[in-house]
Amino acid sequence: MSPLIVLTLLTLASADYWSERAKLVNSDSSHAIGSSIVLTEKEQQVNKVLMSHKLKEYDDGFTDPHSFLPSIHFFKSKSGIEASPVFDFIRKLPKGASLHSHDTALVSFDYLYNLTYRENLYGCVVKNRLQLHFFDKKTSGECEWELVEDLRSQNSSFDMFLKSQLSIIVDDPTTEYPSITEVWNRFMDTFGTVFGLVTHRPVFQDYFYQSLKELREDNVMYLEFRGLLPQVYELNGTTYDHMGVTKLYIETLEQFKRDYPDFHGARFIFAPSRNVDNRTVEDYVSITKELKQSFPEFIAGFDLVGQEDRGKPLIDFIPQLLELAETDTKFFFHAAETDWCGTSTDMNLFDAILLNTTRIGHGFGIVKHPKILEEVKKRKIALEISPISNQVLKLVDDLRNHPGAFLVNSGFPVVITCDDPSFWGAKALSYDWYLAFMGFASREGDLRMLKQLALNSLHFSVMREEEKCDALATWEEQWEEFLDIVLAGNTISVNQIL
């Protein structure tokens, strides 16, 4: 065979190889979230702006892996995230809905801390943990209550101690939290400290109003949040039960919507502790039925919360949960928020599916279960993924290794959520969106992913269909305004977007 023929054959073989390689790469990327979206000409131009920032940041991280923000603990990466042009872009982007966060950890840390300057706030330290409560006068008892104002003036280091009690932020999380047990203990203790502060009725309503405001400022138009319906109190001793607390939420929401008519609303998921006995869950069922009957537009459904590895699994409460399911109550179960496989925590996924859950909170262990993955995709059960929460609560160190990377790149029904931003110094949704976009997505993941995540957040909400259509129409208007402003090179203010 002549050298010319051999060269020709090699050239053809080489061409076939590169053609097949391109097909394989394209086929693989065609499964990712947003891959089916065809960008308009305007969106393509905005995408160039976004990707110019992303590729530089991504490739700089590839050159110096220690600088890649999703691989760094959030306590140490936060300032870098805030300086990122990609984060700035995401912060200004209309993100739709926030679908997984908890009642007493919703606001920014700064706002939470500033609440401690309210009048009549007392503090007391029990076993090195600060308790907070509002009283109209000094109260005696097991706790030596002192005005927080006096504690500040008497001790120059009190404020530092106070701040340490309102979050789980530490300088060296690896040393401070050697295992999930230590970080969860601190996490739950923080809820205990915050509880008395935010359940004073005026603070409770101001707190919820501020939560909605911070979401709106982050270009979020709708909220579904989980809560315990804690007893709320007045200075004069008056208290509000679960019905009264729900009315306070609704009253505050209605006022917020009057002040900001472009906000599309909020719904509540009753989510009490899972670490209880069956009789208590029977009480939960009764409360949920009462709430649904009285506030059908505001009550979205039911969940059980708390550290899954140390709480009761769903299987312990099947009769009660089946009874609740018969009332058409929607479920939003936390499931498989764990590194373990085959444990009761991990098996919560199976019971959540069998109980026809509407969404799954976290679902961190789902990639270990092919049949559950199949059912989630077939039934369109959204997975609520909270990157920062999963990192700081020690399920994963490097977010490039988070199961969300597989789920995002395989096109599963995913929404990105914020869980408990107060306690780790985040705010609303943008920090989690940034880490998902940079840490989960491919290097080539682009505006299409962000657009689909926003659409997912609205599609997988429990808004009524006509309400959802209205929200989607409003979002489309916001999206077009956002694109125009990016192309104009102007500074984007929340009022321009919303």
Side-chain angles (χ1 to χ4, degrees), residues 402-449:
H402 192 289
F406 168 78
L407 298 167
V408 163
N409 289 299
S410 302
F412 279 83
V414 164
V415 292
I416 302 300
T417 57
C418 60
D419 207 16
D420 301 284
S422 299
F423 294 170
W424 38 80
K427 184 179 181 180
L429 283 182
S430 287
Y431 291 89
D432 285 280
W433 271 54
Y434 167 85
L435 288 166
F437 183 60
M438 295 299 297
F440 295 174
S442 158
R443 176 182 182 274
E444 305 301 323
D446 59 12
L447 185 65
R448 294 174 299 163
M449 174 188 171

Side-chain angles (χ1 to χ4, degrees), residues 8-23:
T8 301
L9 290 174
L10 287 172
T11 301
L12 290 172
S14 178
D16 288 343
Y17 177 85
W18 294 111
S19 175
E20 288 302 310
R21 186 180 188 277
K23 288 179 183 178

Side-chain angles (χ1 to χ4, degrees), residues 221 455 458-459 467-477:
M221 65 162 69
L455 292 171
L458 297 172
H459 284 305
E467 189 181 357
K468 195 176 293 187
C469 288
D470 183 44
L472 285 164
T474 301
W475 181 87
E476 290 283 358
E477 293 174 3

